Amino acid sequence: MKVLVAVKRVVDFNVKVRVKADHSGVDLANVKMAMNPFCEIAVEEAVRLKEQGIASEVVVVSVGPATAQEQLRTALALGADRAVLVETADELSALAVAKLLKAVAEREQPQLLILGKQAIDSDNNQTGQMLAALGGYAQGTFASKVGVEGGQLLVTREIDGGLQTVALNLPAVVTTDLRLNEPRYASLPNIMKAKKKPLESTTAEALGVSTASSITVLKVEAPASRSAGIKVKSVAELVEKLKNEAKVI
Amino acid sequence: MTILVIAEHENGAVAPATLNTVAAAAKIGGDIHVLVAGQNVGGVAEAAAKIAGVAKVLVADNAAYAHQLPENVAPLVAELGKGYSHVLAPATSNGKNILPRVAALLDVDQISEIIAVESADTFKRPIYAGNAIATVQSNAAVKVITVRATGFDAVAAEGGLAAVETVAAAHNAGTSAFVGEELAKSDRPELTAAKIVVSGGRGMQNGDNFKHLYALADKLGAAVGASRAAVDAGFVPNDMQVGQTGKIVAPQLYIAVGISGAIQHLAGMKDSKVIVAINKDEEAPIFQVADYGLVADLFEAVPELEKLV
């Protein structure tokens, strides 16, 4: 089967971001960018399905700025066969991204669509579910295990109280949770080979998708900072403070 | 304005997060209706009708809605949602699974995990693992929103007297099926609702050592959580994970034991009222957010703490 994987370029997860002084957003100038960690897991799962002979082709797609080519090249170096970039200058809403991905999916006709469960910048956790709704696909969100059995997809999902397994008809959307797999690193020869793999660029206009959003960000602020705490010297002092000062036990 | 709240329920009872979501709906203002979708949910509907501030309870009782499969529940919510100004669900794994699907079916954007209501169309939500708070305004015809339970004080579960109405609509997409589930068993309070949470990290060294935390938790009536490092190392099951990708908690007291305090962990607990850190590394980032820090070996400090409380 053909697998479509969506990846997003985001600020590196180790970077502690700063809010801009004018409250218009987060300062991303000169900040290290990387592939969203959940998207790395999505690429890894697709490549593993290919190695098991289940997937025939892995197409990776990103919606973002021209620089998102770097993340697509990374995915190609990890084992994806070809890449599609939907180039946009603006930060789009999850619904707009889902519509663009649906347009790409209509053209590519994949049997399985894999996304990360959420991007660590917007923390939305929406795109996979929205894509499933728009395409009429079944969805296996927060997946920690994926298997194919008798033409159906078996997905084990991480839910609040433990794990749940569902069987989905294909085509289906899967969103990855942290424990699905451990992504590999790209080797130098593969990074070189990835430069020769096809990367096609398109736009929302070319796909005929409107990216208008009903949501406006009015301001972005730093969270209220906690007042500095104290270090206690002993367990006895800690218990005394919790009982008499904080009054929480 | 009329607001539809999707009830979270399990084992025939209304889940606590539903009460926080009704509280958020009350801040928006207007009539509040609660939808209970599932199979054999008559008891849940009766309980939902008693929630303070709820005007009406809609019950969709059908085998297709068992286990809350999003392919079946989302079309139901989207159909009902057309008649409402807002559709709210708690930001639980169910809420997050279903609501974006509802939003896309209604062709509107969704707002995730709000922590405050500024007005009927303006909300606050954390982004970048809680390192920034965005104020967002929506002009969508139906505002579809998930609510972070720890951002709102729960309304009373008793005292309401809502009318219960049956919804006949049965949507069965037939594209998915429930196979089975494996739930972690625990007698301790539920992590996201506990007043006190004791969490362990990589410093616990192995799963067996968590018994020290369980003993302390039982003495305090606390829930036990974990960092991702402890979960990935296989010390404890993943539903105990606190953080950006796990559960968000805001208890009265959070005791972090052997946890360094990575950004992703802080995202899940830094709104706790009082934070205590026990760590032998005095440079650990957790001490920057802890109200009370104790630099000590946890294997000595935790048993001593258990004796003294």
Side-chain angles (χ1 to χ4, degrees):
Chain A
M1 68 171 87
K2 189 168 177 179
V3 181
L4 188 74
V5 182
V7 302
K8 184 176 185 185
R9 175 183 171 90
V10 298
V11 62
D12 185 272
F13 74 98
N14 280 313
V15 173
K16 182 136 176 28
V17 294
R18 280 172 206 282
V19 170
K20 285 187 197 164
D22 65 357
H23 298 304
S24 62
V26 162
D27 193 358
L28 294 180
N30 303 318
V31 169
K32 189 183 172 206
M33 303 296 277
M35 193 192 299
N36 179 46
F38 292 101
C39 303
E40 286 184 353
I41 297 172
V43 172
E44 175 67 28
E45 195 63 20
V47 172
R48 287 187 190 188
L49 288 172
K50 196 178 169 199
E51 286 166 349
Q52 290 162 25
I54 296 169
S56 52
E57 187 186 25
V58 176
V59 181
V60 60
V61 52
S62 189
V63 177
T67 45
Q69 284 189 25
E70 290 169 28
Q71 279 62 47
L72 289 172
R73 289 287 173 205
T74 304
L76 293 171
L78 292 170
D81 296 298
R82 61 193 170 83
V84 179
L85 173 66
V86 182
E87 206 174 318
T88 64
D90 309 315
E91 178 84 7
L92 300 181
S93 73
L95 182 64
V97 172
K99 285 179 178 173
L100 291 167
L101 293 177
K102 188 205 164 211
V104 173
E106 270 175 1
R107 215 180 54 181
E108 299 283 347
Q109 296 289 324
Q111 285 292 291
L112 178 60
L113 304 94
I114 313 183
L115 294 82
K117 85 162 171 182
Q118 74 188 62
I120 60 166
D121 52 359
S122 55
D123 280 338
N124 270 329
N125 195 334
Q126 300 173 2
T127 309
Q129 295 89 314
M130 287 179 160
L131 173 59
L134 296 173
Y137 310 123
Q139 70 187 49
T141 52
F142 328 142
S144 60
K145 199 174 158 202
V146 175
V148 178
E149 212 174 276
Q152 274 197 318
L153 198 69
L154 279 185
V155 181
T156 301
R157 309 176 50 236
E158 299 200 1
I159 58 170
D160 286 336
L163 299 170
Q164 179 194 64
T165 304
V166 289
L168 309 175
N169 291 358
L170 295 170
V173 171
V174 165
T175 73
T176 64
D177 216 320
L178 280 171
R179 267 157 296 272
L180 181 59
N181 60 47
E182 187 123 346
R184 70 193 68 188
Y185 292 97
S187 67
L188 190 58
N190 284 343
I191 292 172
M192 301 310 289
K193 276 183 215 153
K195 291 185 178 166
K196 295 205 178 71
K197 289 187 180 175
L199 193 159
E200 174 204 345
S201 203
T202 182
T203 60
E205 293 75 42
L207 292 168
V209 174
S210 159
T211 55
S213 167
S214 57
I215 291 176
T216 322
V217 176
L218 301 180
K219 66 179 171 193
V220 175
E221 300 161 291
S225 60
R226 295 185 72 94
S227 51
I230 55 161
K231 286 230 172 93
V232 294
K233 295 209 162 40
S234 68
V235 173
E237 190 189 345
L238 174 63
V239 173
E240 192 272 323
K241 295 271 189 208
L242 290 178
K243 278 188 175 151
N244 302 322
E245 201 175 277
K247 296 187 170 61
V248 285
I249 58 172
Chain B
M1 265 191 326
T2 318
I3 303 167
L4 182 65
V5 172
I6 317 302
E8 171 93 5
H9 59 89
E10 53 197 4
N11 304 327
V14 175
T18 308
L19 303 177
N20 306 85
T21 308
V22 171
K27 287 223 163 122
I28 294 169
D31 276 354
I32 301 172
H33 296 179
V34 171
L35 170 68
V36 177
Q39 191 178 20
N40 301 327
V41 286
V44 179
E46 276 175 38
K50 292 188 187 131
I51 297 173
V54 173
K56 186 155 80 172
V57 173
L58 305 173
V59 193
D61 203 325
N62 192 296
Y65 306 137
H67 306 292
Q68 308 281 314
L69 293 174
E71 295 80 3
N72 302 343
V73 176
L76 167 75
V77 177
E79 183 188 304
L80 295 170
K82 283 190 188 116
Y84 289 87
S85 61
H86 298 71
V87 175
L88 268 56
T92 53
S93 58
N94 257 332
K96 291 176 186 176
N97 194 25
I98 293 168
L99 220 58
R101 197 166 175 119
V102 172
L105 292 175
L106 290 169
D107 195 21
V108 295
D109 291 293
Q110 192 212 290
I111 303 177
S112 292
E113 303 227 13
I114 62 162
I115 53 169
V117 173
E118 299 287 287
S119 70
D121 65 359
T122 308
F123 310 90
K124 286 193 178 204
R125 62 176 300 261
I127 53 176
Y128 290 90
N131 287 304
I133 307 295
T135 304
V136 296
Q137 189 171 40
S138 166
N139 61 17
V142 184
K143 291 163 188 65
V144 178
I145 298 165
T146 59
V147 176
R148 181 173 286 189
T150 58
F152 300 88
D153 293 329
V155 298
E158 300 281 336
L161 197 68
V164 177
E165 194 175 286
T166 305
V167 179
H171 295 268
N172 193 346
T175 52
S176 62
F178 172 83
V179 177
E181 63 188 3
E182 207 178 305
L183 301 179
K185 290 186 186 72
S186 174
D187 300 330
R188 293 185 188 85
E190 212 261 313
L191 196 51
T192 51
K195 293 233 174 344
I196 302 178
V197 172
V198 181
S199 276
R202 199 194 303 272
M204 297 307 295
Q205 295 179 2
N206 59 50
D208 194 40
N209 284 335
F210 263 75
K211 66 177 186 240
H212 299 298
L213 299 190
Y214 295 136
L216 175 62
D218 289 342
K219 201 91 176 269
L220 291 166
V224 178
S227 70
R228 187 187 162 198
V231 172
D232 281 354
F235 299 172
V236 290
N238 60 43
D239 56 302
M240 283 169 66
Q241 184 184 322
V242 172
Q244 185 186 18
T245 57
K247 288 181 182 162
I248 312 288
V249 301
Q252 294 287 306
L253 173 61
Y254 189 89
I255 305 179
V257 182
I259 291 176
S260 65
I263 296 174
Q264 292 79 5
H265 186 73
L266 299 183
M269 47 64 82
K270 67 181 178 180
D271 292 326
S272 305
K273 184 158 170 273
V274 175
I275 297 173
V276 170
I278 301 175
N279 204 304
K280 63 181 175 189
D281 174 13
E282 60 181 315
E283 302 294 322
I286 189 80
F287 286 118
Q288 289 163 20
V289 300
D291 299 277
Y292 302 107
L294 176 63
V295 180
D297 183 345
L298 68 94
F299 295 106
E300 287 163 22
V302 172
E304 193 183 342
L305 183 57
E306 190 217 324
K307 277 196 204 92
L308 290 178
V309 295

